[in-house]
Coordinates of all heavy atoms in Angstrom, one line a residue:
M1 N 93.6 91.4 96.3 CA 93.1 92.7 95.9 C 92.3 93.2 97.1 O 92.4 94.4 97.4 CB 92.4 92.6 94.7 CG 91.9 93.9 94.2 SD 93.2 94.8 93.5 CE 92.2 96.1 92.6
K2 N 91.3 92.4 97.6 CA 90.4 92.9 98.6 C 91.2 93.2 100.0 O 91.0 94.3 100.6 CB 89.4 91.8 99.0 CG 88.3 92.1 100.0 CD 87.3 91.1 100.1 CE 86.3 91.5 101.2 NZ 85.3 90.4 101.4
K3 N 92.2 92.4 100.2 CA 93.0 92.7 101.4 C 93.8 94.0 101.3 O 93.8 94.8 102.3 CB 94.0 91.5 101.7 CG 94.9 91.7 102.8 CD 95.9 90.6 102.9 CE 97.0 90.9 103.8 NZ 98.1 89.9 103.9
E4 N 94.2 94.2 100.1 CA 95.0 95.5 99.9 C 94.1 96.7 100.0 O 94.5 97.7 100.5 CB 95.8 95.5 98.5 CG 96.8 94.4 98.4 CD 97.9 94.5 99.5 OE1 98.3 95.6 99.8 OE2 98.3 93.5 100.0
L5 N 92.9 96.6 99.5 CA 91.9 97.7 99.6 C 91.5 97.9 101.0 O 91.5 99.2 101.4 CB 90.7 97.4 98.7 CG 89.6 98.5 98.8 CD1 90.2 99.8 98.0 CD2 88.4 97.9 97.9
I6 N 91.4 96.9 101.8 CA 91.1 97.1 103.2 C 92.3 97.8 103.9 O 92.1 98.7 104.8 CB 90.8 95.8 103.9 CG1 89.4 95.2 103.4 CG2 90.8 95.9 105.3 CD1 89.1 93.8 103.8
I7 N 93.5 97.4 103.5 CA 94.7 98.1 104.1 C 94.7 99.6 103.8 O 94.9 100.4 104.6 CB 96.0 97.3 103.7 CG1 96.0 96.0 104.3 CG2 97.2 98.2 104.1 CD1 97.1 95.1 103.8
F8 N 94.5 99.9 102.5 CA 94.5 101.2 102.0 C 93.5 102.0 102.8 O 93.7 103.2 103.2 CB 94.3 101.3 100.4 CG 94.4 102.7 99.9 CD1 95.6 103.2 99.6 CD2 93.3 103.4 99.7 CE1 95.8 104.5 99.0 CE2 93.3 104.7 99.1 CZ 94.7 105.2 98.8
L9 N 92.2 101.6 102.9 CA 91.2 102.3 103.5 C 91.4 102.4 105.0 O 91.0 103.5 105.6 CB 89.8 101.6 103.3 CG 89.4 101.6 101.9 CD1 87.9 100.9 101.7 CD2 89.1 103.1 101.4
S10 N 92.1 101.4 105.6 CA 92.4 101.5 107.0 C 93.5 102.7 107.2 O 93.3 103.5 108.2 CB 93.0 100.2 107.5 OG 92.0 99.2 107.5
I11 N 94.4 102.7 106.4 CA 95.4 103.7 106.4 C 94.7 105.1 106.3 O 95.0 106.1 107.0 CB 96.6 103.6 105.4 CG1 97.4 102.3 105.8 CG2 97.5 104.8 105.3 CD1 98.3 101.9 104.6
F12 N 93.8 105.2 105.3 CA 93.1 106.4 105.1 C 92.4 106.9 106.3 O 92.4 108.2 106.7 CB 92.2 106.3 103.9 CG 91.3 107.5 103.6 CD1 91.8 108.5 102.9 CD2 90.0 107.5 104.1 CE1 91.0 109.6 102.6 CE2 89.3 108.7 103.8 CZ 89.8 109.7 103.1
L13 N 91.6 106.0 106.9 CA 90.8 106.4 108.1 C 91.7 106.7 109.4 O 91.4 107.7 110.0 CB 89.9 105.2 108.5 CG 88.7 105.0 107.6 CD1 88.0 103.7 108.0 CD2 87.8 106.2 107.6
V14 N 92.8 106.0 109.5 CA 93.7 106.4 110.6 C 94.3 107.7 110.4 O 94.4 108.6 111.4 CB 94.8 105.3 110.8 CG1 95.8 105.7 111.7 CG2 94.2 104.0 111.3
L15 N 94.8 107.9 109.3 CA 95.4 109.3 109.0 C 94.4 110.4 109.1 O 94.6 111.5 109.6 CB 96.0 109.3 107.6 CG 97.3 108.5 107.4 CD1 97.8 108.5 106.0 CD2 98.4 109.0 108.3
A16 N 93.1 110.2 108.5 CA 92.2 111.3 108.5 C 91.7 111.6 109.9 O 91.6 112.7 110.4 CB 91.0 110.9 107.7
L17 N 91.4 110.5 110.7 CA 91.1 110.8 112.1 C 92.1 111.3 113.0 O 92.0 112.1 113.8 CB 90.4 109.4 112.7 CG 89.1 109.1 112.2 CD1 88.7 107.7 112.7 CD2 88.0 110.2 112.4
G18 N 93.4 110.9 112.7 CA 94.5 111.3 113.4 C 94.8 112.8 113.2 O 95.1 113.6 114.1
M19 N 94.6 113.3 111.9 CA 94.9 114.7 111.6 C 93.7 115.6 111.9 O 93.9 116.8 112.2 CB 95.4 114.8 110.2 CG 96.7 114.2 109.9 SD 98.1 114.8 110.8 CE 98.1 116.5 110.2
H20 N 92.5 115.1 111.8 CA 91.3 115.9 111.9 C 90.3 115.4 112.9 O 89.0 115.5 112.6 CB 90.7 116.0 110.5 CG 91.5 116.5 109.4 ND1 91.9 117.8 109.3 CD2 92.2 115.8 108.4 CE1 92.7 117.9 108.2 NE2 92.8 116.7 107.6
F21 N 90.8 114.9 114.0 CA 89.9 114.4 115.0 C 88.9 115.4 115.5 O 87.7 115.1 115.6 CB 90.7 113.7 116.1 CG 89.8 113.0 117.1 CD1 89.2 111.8 116.8 CD2 89.4 113.6 118.3 CE1 88.4 111.0 117.7 CE2 88.6 113.0 119.2 CZ 88.1 111.7 118.9
K22 N 89.3 116.6 115.9 CA 88.4 117.6 116.4 C 87.4 118.0 115.3 O 86.2 118.1 115.7 CB 89.3 118.8 116.8 CG 88.5 119.9 117.5 CD 89.3 121.0 118.0 CE 89.2 122.1 116.9 NZ 89.9 123.2 117.2
E23 N 87.8 118.1 114.1 CA 86.8 118.6 113.1 C 85.8 117.5 112.8 O 84.6 117.7 112.6 CB 87.6 118.8 111.8 CG 88.4 120.1 111.9 CD 89.8 119.9 112.4 OE1 90.1 118.8 112.8 OE2 90.5 120.9 112.4
F24 N 86.2 116.2 112.9 CA 85.2 115.1 112.7 C 84.3 114.9 113.9 O 83.3 114.3 113.7 CB 86.0 113.8 112.3 CG 86.4 113.7 111.0 CD1 87.8 113.5 110.7 CD2 85.6 113.8 109.9 CE1 88.2 113.3 109.4 CE2 85.9 113.7 108.7 CZ 87.3 113.4 108.3
T25 N 84.7 115.3 115.0 CA 83.8 115.2 116.1 C 82.9 116.4 116.3 O 81.8 116.2 117.0 CB 84.6 114.9 117.5 OG1 85.5 116.0 117.6 CG2 85.3 113.5 117.4
T26 N 83.3 117.6 115.9 CA 82.5 118.7 116.1 C 81.6 119.1 114.9 O 80.4 119.4 115.1 CB 83.4 119.9 116.5 OG1 84.3 120.3 115.4 CG2 84.1 119.8 117.8
H27 N 82.2 119.1 113.7 CA 81.4 119.4 112.5 C 81.9 118.6 111.3 O 82.6 119.2 110.4 CB 81.4 121.0 112.2 CG 82.9 121.5 112.1 ND1 83.6 121.7 113.3 CD2 83.6 121.8 111.2 CE1 84.7 122.2 113.0 NE2 84.8 122.3 111.7
P28 N 81.6 117.3 111.3 CA 82.1 116.5 110.1 C 81.6 116.8 108.7 O 82.4 116.9 107.8 CB 81.7 115.1 110.6 CG 80.6 115.3 111.5 CD 80.8 116.6 112.1
I29 N 80.3 117.1 108.6 CA 79.8 117.4 107.3 C 80.4 118.6 106.7 O 80.8 118.7 105.6 CB 78.3 117.5 107.4 CG1 77.6 116.2 108.0 CG2 77.7 117.8 106.0 CD1 77.9 115.0 107.1
D30 N 80.6 119.7 107.6 CA 81.1 120.9 107.1 C 82.5 120.8 106.6 O 83.0 121.3 105.7 CB 81.1 122.1 108.2 CG 79.7 122.5 108.5 OD1 78.7 122.3 107.5 OD2 79.4 122.9 109.5
H31 N 83.3 119.9 107.4 CA 84.6 119.7 107.1 C 84.8 118.9 105.8 O 85.7 119.2 105.0 CB 85.3 118.8 108.2 CG 86.8 118.7 108.1 ND1 87.7 119.7 108.3 CD2 87.5 117.6 107.8 CE1 88.9 119.3 108.1 NE2 88.8 118.1 107.8
I32 N 83.9 117.9 105.5 CA 84.1 117.2 104.3 C 83.5 117.9 103.1 O 84.2 117.9 102.0 CB 83.1 115.9 104.4 CG1 83.8 114.9 105.4 CG2 83.0 115.2 103.0 CD1 82.9 113.7 105.8
L33 N 82.5 118.9 103.3 CA 82.1 119.7 102.2 C 83.2 120.8 101.9 O 83.2 121.3 100.8 CB 80.8 120.4 102.6 CG 79.6 119.5 102.6 CD1 78.4 120.2 103.2 CD2 79.3 118.8 101.3
A34 N 84.0 121.1 102.8 CA 85.1 122.1 102.5 C 86.3 121.4 101.7 O 87.2 122.2 101.4 CB 85.7 122.7 103.9
L35 N 86.3 120.2 101.5 CA 87.5 119.5 100.9 C 87.7 120.0 99.4 O 88.9 120.2 99.2 CB 87.1 118.0 100.7 CG 88.3 117.2 100.2 CD1 89.5 117.2 101.2 CD2 87.8 115.7 100.1
P36 N 86.8 120.5 98.6 CA 87.2 121.0 97.3 C 88.0 122.3 97.4 O 88.7 122.7 96.5 CB 85.9 121.3 96.6 CG 84.9 120.4 97.3 CD 85.3 120.3 98.7
H37 N 87.9 123.0 98.6 CA 88.6 124.3 98.7 C 89.9 124.1 99.6 O 90.6 125.1 100.0 CB 87.7 125.3 99.4 CG 86.5 125.4 98.8 ND1 86.3 126.0 97.5 CD2 85.2 125.1 99.0 CE1 85.1 126.0 97.1 NE2 84.3 125.4 98.0
A38 N 90.3 122.9 99.8 CA 91.5 122.5 100.7 C 92.7 122.9 99.9 O 92.8 122.8 98.7 CB 91.4 121.1 101.1
G39 N 93.7 123.3 100.7 CA 95.0 123.5 100.1 C 96.1 122.9 100.8 O 97.2 123.5 100.9
A40 N 95.9 121.9 101.4 CA 96.9 121.2 102.2 C 98.1 120.8 101.5 O 98.1 120.1 100.5 CB 96.3 119.9 103.0
F41 N 99.3 121.4 102.0 CA 100.6 121.0 101.4 C 100.6 121.4 99.8 O 101.4 120.9 99.1 CB 101.0 119.6 101.6 CG 101.0 119.1 102.9 CD1 100.0 118.2 103.3 CD2 101.8 119.7 103.9 CE1 100.0 117.8 104.6 CE2 101.7 119.3 105.2 CZ 100.9 118.4 105.6
G42 N 99.8 122.3 99.4 CA 99.7 122.6 97.9 C 99.1 121.5 97.2 O 99.3 121.6 95.8
L43 N 98.6 120.5 97.6 CA 98.0 119.4 96.9 C 96.5 119.6 96.5 O 96.0 118.7 95.8 CB 98.2 118.1 97.6 CG 99.7 117.8 98.0 CD1 99.7 116.5 98.8 CD2 100.4 117.5 96.8
G44 N 95.9 120.5 97.1 CA 94.4 120.8 96.9 C 93.5 119.7 97.4 O 93.9 119.0 98.3
P45 N 92.4 119.4 96.7 CA 91.4 118.5 97.2 C 91.9 117.1 97.2 O 91.2 116.3 97.8 CB 90.3 118.8 96.3 CG 90.8 119.3 95.1 CD 91.9 120.1 95.6
F46 N 92.9 116.8 96.5 CA 93.4 115.4 96.3 C 94.4 115.0 97.5 O 94.9 113.9 97.4 CB 94.0 115.1 95.0 CG 92.9 115.3 93.9 CD1 93.1 116.3 93.0 CD2 92.0 114.3 93.7 CE1 92.1 116.5 92.0 CE2 91.0 114.5 92.7 CZ 91.0 115.6 91.8
H47 N 94.6 115.9 98.5 CA 95.7 115.7 99.4 C 95.4 114.4 100.2 O 96.4 113.6 100.5 CB 95.9 116.8 100.3 CG 94.9 117.1 101.3 ND1 93.7 117.9 101.0 CD2 94.8 116.8 102.6 CE1 93.0 118.0 102.1 NE2 93.6 117.3 103.0
P48 N 94.1 114.0 100.5 CA 93.9 112.8 101.4 C 94.5 111.5 100.6 O 95.1 110.7 101.1 CB 92.5 112.8 101.6 CG 92.0 114.2 101.4 CD 92.8 114.8 100.4
L49 N 94.0 111.5 99.3 CA 94.4 110.3 98.4 C 95.9 110.3 98.2 O 96.6 109.2 98.2 CB 93.7 110.3 97.2 CG 92.2 110.1 97.3 CD1 91.5 110.2 95.9 CD2 91.8 108.8 98.0
I50 N 96.6 111.4 97.9 CA 97.9 111.4 97.7 C 98.8 111.1 98.9 O 99.7 110.2 98.9 CB 98.4 112.8 97.2 CG1 97.7 113.1 95.8 CG2 99.9 113.0 97.1 CD1 97.9 114.5 95.3
I51 N 98.4 111.5 100.1 CA 99.2 111.3 101.3 C 98.9 109.8 101.7 O 99.9 109.1 102.2 CB 98.7 112.2 102.5 CG1 99.2 113.6 102.1 CG2 99.2 111.8 103.8 CD1 98.6 114.7 103.0
T52 N 97.7 109.3 101.5 CA 97.4 107.9 101.8 C 98.2 107.0 100.9 O 98.7 106.0 101.4 CB 95.9 107.7 101.8 OG1 95.2 108.6 102.6 CG2 95.6 106.2 102.1
T53 N 98.3 107.3 99.7 CA 99.0 106.5 98.7 C 100.4 106.5 99.1 O 101.1 105.4 99.0 CB 98.7 107.1 97.3 OG1 97.4 107.0 97.0 CG2 99.6 106.2 96.3
F54 N 101.1 107.6 99.5 CA 102.4 107.6 99.9 C 102.7 106.7 101.1 O 103.6 105.9 101.1 CB 102.9 109.1 100.3 CG 104.1 109.2 101.0 CD1 105.3 109.1 100.1 CD2 104.3 109.4 102.3 CE1 106.5 109.1 100.7 CE2 105.6 109.5 102.8 CZ 106.7 109.3 102.1
F55 N 101.8 106.8 102.1 CA 102.0 105.9 103.3 C 101.7 104.5 102.9 O 102.5 103.6 103.5 CB 101.0 106.4 104.4 CG 101.7 107.5 105.2 CD1 101.3 108.8 105.0 CD2 102.5 107.2 106.3 CE1 101.8 109.9 105.7 CE2 102.9 108.2 107.0 CZ 102.7 109.6 106.8
Y56 N 100.8 104.2 102.0 CA 100.6 102.8 101.5 C 101.9 102.2 100.8 O 102.2 101.1 101.1 CB 99.4 102.7 100.7 CG 99.1 101.4 100.0 CD1 98.5 100.4 100.9 CD2 99.5 101.1 98.7 CE1 98.3 99.2 100.3 CE2 99.3 99.8 98.2 CZ 98.7 98.9 99.0 OH 98.6 97.6 98.5
L57 N 102.5 103.1 100.0 CA 103.7 102.6 99.3 C 104.8 102.4 100.3 O 105.6 101.4 100.1 CB 104.0 103.6 98.2 CG 103.1 103.7 97.0 CD1 103.5 104.8 96.1 CD2 102.9 102.4 96.4
V58 N 105.0 103.2 101.3 CA 106.0 103.0 102.3 C 105.7 101.7 103.0 O 106.7 100.9 103.2 CB 106.1 104.2 103.2 CG1 107.0 103.9 104.4 CG2 106.6 105.5 102.5
L59 N 104.5 101.5 103.4 CA 104.1 100.2 104.1 C 104.4 99.0 103.2 O 104.9 98.0 103.7 CB 102.8 100.3 104.5 CG 102.2 99.1 105.3 CD1 103.0 99.0 106.6 CD2 100.7 99.2 105.5
A60 N 104.0 99.2 101.9 CA 104.3 98.0 101.0 C 105.7 97.8 100.8 O 106.1 96.5 100.7 CB 103.6 98.4 99.7
L61 N 106.6 98.8 100.8 CA 108.0 98.6 100.7 C 108.5 97.8 101.9 O 109.3 96.8 101.8 CB 108.7 100.0 100.6 CG 110.3 99.9 100.6 CD1 110.8 99.3 99.4 CD2 110.8 101.3 100.8
F62 N 108.1 98.2 103.2 CA 108.5 97.5 104.3 C 108.0 96.1 104.4 O 108.7 95.2 104.7 CB 108.1 98.3 105.6 CG 108.9 99.5 105.9 CD1 108.3 100.6 106.2 CD2 110.3 99.4 106.0 CE1 109.1 101.8 106.3 CE2 111.0 100.5 106.2 CZ 110.4 101.7 106.4
R63 N 106.7 95.8 103.9 CA 106.2 94.5 103.8 C 107.0 93.6 102.8 O 107.2 92.4 103.0 CB 104.7 94.5 103.3 CG 103.9 95.1 104.5 CD 102.4 95.4 104.1 NE 101.8 94.2 103.4 CZ 100.8 94.3 102.6 NH1 100.3 95.4 102.2 NH2 100.3 93.2 102.0
G64 N 107.4 94.3 101.7 CA 108.2 93.5 100.7 C 109.6 93.2 101.3 O 110.0 92.1 101.0
I65 N 110.2 94.0 102.0 CA 111.5 93.7 102.6 C 111.4 92.7 103.6 O 112.2 91.8 103.6 CB 112.1 95.1 103.1 CG1 112.5 96.0 102.0 CG2 113.3 94.7 104.0 CD1 113.0 97.4 102.5
A66 N 110.4 92.7 104.4 CA 110.1 91.7 105.5 C 109.9 90.4 104.8 O 110.3 89.3 105.2 CB 108.9 92.2 106.3
K67 N 109.1 90.4 103.7 CA 108.8 89.1 103.0 C 110.2 88.5 102.4 O 110.2 87.2 102.4 CB 107.8 89.3 101.8 CG 107.4 88.1 101.2 CD 106.5 88.4 100.1 CE 105.0 88.3 100.7 NZ 104.0 88.5 99.6
L68 N 111.1 89.3 102.0 CA 112.3 88.8 101.5 C 113.1 88.2 102.5 O 113.8 87.1 102.3 CB 113.1 89.9 100.9 CG 112.8 90.4 99.5 CD1 113.6 91.6 99.1 CD2 112.9 89.4 98.4
F69 N 113.1 88.8 103.8 CA 113.9 88.2 104.8 C 113.3 87.0 105.4 O 113.9 86.2 106.1 CB 114.2 89.3 105.8 CG 115.3 90.2 105.5 CD1 115.0 91.6 105.2 CD2 116.6 89.8 105.2 CE1 116.0 92.4 104.8 CE2 117.6 90.8 104.8 CZ 117.3 92.0 104.6
N70 N 112.0 86.8 105.3 CA 111.2 85.8 106.0 C 111.0 84.6 105.1 O 110.4 83.6 105.4 CB 109.9 86.2 106.5 CG 110.0 87.1 107.7 OD1 111.0 87.1 108.4 ND2 109.0 88.0 107.8
R71 N 111.7 84.5 103.8 CA 111.6 83.4 103.0 C 112.3 82.2 103.6 O 113.4 82.3 104.1 CB 112.2 83.7 101.6 CG 111.3 84.6 100.7 CD 111.9 84.6 99.3 NE 111.1 85.4 98.6 CZ 111.4 85.7 97.3 NH1 112.4 85.1 96.7 NH2 110.5 86.5 96.7
K72 N 111.6 81.1 103.5 CA 112.2 79.9 103.9 C 113.0 79.2 102.8 O 112.4 79.0 101.7 CB 111.2 79.0 104.5 CG 110.5 79.5 105.7 CD 109.5 78.5 106.4 CE 108.9 79.2 107.6 NZ 107.9 78.3 108.3
K73 N 114.2 78.7 103.1 CA 115.0 78.2 102.0 C 115.0 76.7 102.1 O 114.7 76.0 103.0 CB 116.5 78.6 102.3 CG 116.5 80.1 102.0 CD 118.0 80.6 102.1 CE 118.0 82.1 102.0 NZ 119.3 82.6 102.1

């Protein structure tokens, strides 16, 4: 469980910094405080969690497929 939480938070940080690097380096507090008024992709203030969850599930799918092929018989 702890490992999965670390993976989820890592994906969150990479995506957040990748998409909003300039905002986080110039005015991070203002950017975070504007989150309740965000309208990214029509998802509103929950867009960071929804997008991160999507990428986490895609990664989990690939990890599951890799685990199936790496089983030792």
Side-chain angles (χ1 to χ4, degrees):
M1 179 77 164
K2 184 177 177 182
K3 177 183 170 186
E4 298 302 318
L5 183 61
I6 291 171
I7 291 171
F8 185 84
L9 291 176
S10 299
I11 293 170
F12 177 81
L13 286 174
V14 168
L15 290 174
L17 288 174
M19 293 300 295
H20 304 286
F21 185 76
K22 186 177 96 177
E23 290 83 358
F24 279 122
T25 56
T26 59
H27 52 283
I29 301 300
D30 293 335
H31 190 67
I32 292 171
L33 291 176
L35 187 59
H37 308 290
F41 308 110
L43 301 174
F46 297 109
H47 75 274
L49 294 176
I50 294 170
I51 294 170
T52 303
T53 303
F54 172 75
F55 277 93
Y56 176 78
L57 292 174
V58 169
L59 180 66
L61 177 68
F62 285 127
R63 288 172 51 202
I65 292 171
K67 189 181 264 188
L68 282 175
F69 285 114
N70 287 334
R71 283 191 182 178
K72 294 184 181 182
K73 296 180 181 180

